[in-house]
Each structure stands twice: as structure tokens, then as C-alpha cells.
Amino acid sequence: MKIDHPEQFERYVDAIKLNLIMWRRAGNQEFSDIAKKLEISERTVRRRFNAPGTLTLEELYVWSELYGKDPCETLQKAFAEAAKGKKDAGE
């Protein structure tokens, strides 16, 4: 897969990761709890947490559900952050 604007993608992924970090800290959930909700291994949860670009939409939705967050709002904020990077670059 070729991404035309890798800097924007990095900002997008960073925004998603920041949400995951903040949710986990505020919600006091262990990786094992998240793994149970997602019905995947704890090892896979850790990989997704460390590399949120690998999250499927279904996983992001379920992760959002676990923390009582709106997945659409999360994606919109990530897209906005990516677009902000595009504006900062003068595009």
C-alpha cells in the first residue's frame, strides 16, 4: 500500500494513539481486559496499542465502546489533526 502523504498519516496515527493512551490511563483498563473485549490475544492488543495504524475499524469501534467514547468523533479528530499538519506544511 502506498500512502501519498506519509506525514499526514503519521499525524493521524499519532492522534489515534494519543486517544488510546489517554483512555487507558483514565479508564484504568489492563491489556487483558481490552483483549477480552476485543476477543483477541493480549499480545495482539499490545501490538495494536503500539502501532495503532494496524487497528481495524471494528477493533477501534470496540475499543471506543469499552471506554464509552464515540468512535466517529475519535476519527474526526484524528483526520482534523492530519489536515492541520497539511495546512502547516503549506499545502
Side-chain angles (χ1 to χ4, degrees), residues 40-54:
I40 59 178
S41 73
E42 191 173 331
R43 182 175 178 218
T44 301
V45 168
R46 288 178 187 279
R47 278 198 321 267
R48 299 291 198 265
F49 185 79
N50 291 323
T54 64

Side-chain angles (χ1 to χ4, degrees), residues 24 27-35 42 45-46 66-67:
R24 187 161 174 263
N28 202 25
Q29 298 283 342
E30 297 296 325
F31 283 121
S32 59
D33 299 325
I34 299 166
E42 191 173 331
V45 168
R46 288 178 187 279
L66 178 66
Y67 287 99

Side-chain angles (χ1 to χ4, degrees), residues 16 20 31 74:
I16 297 291
L20 297 179
F31 283 121
T74 301

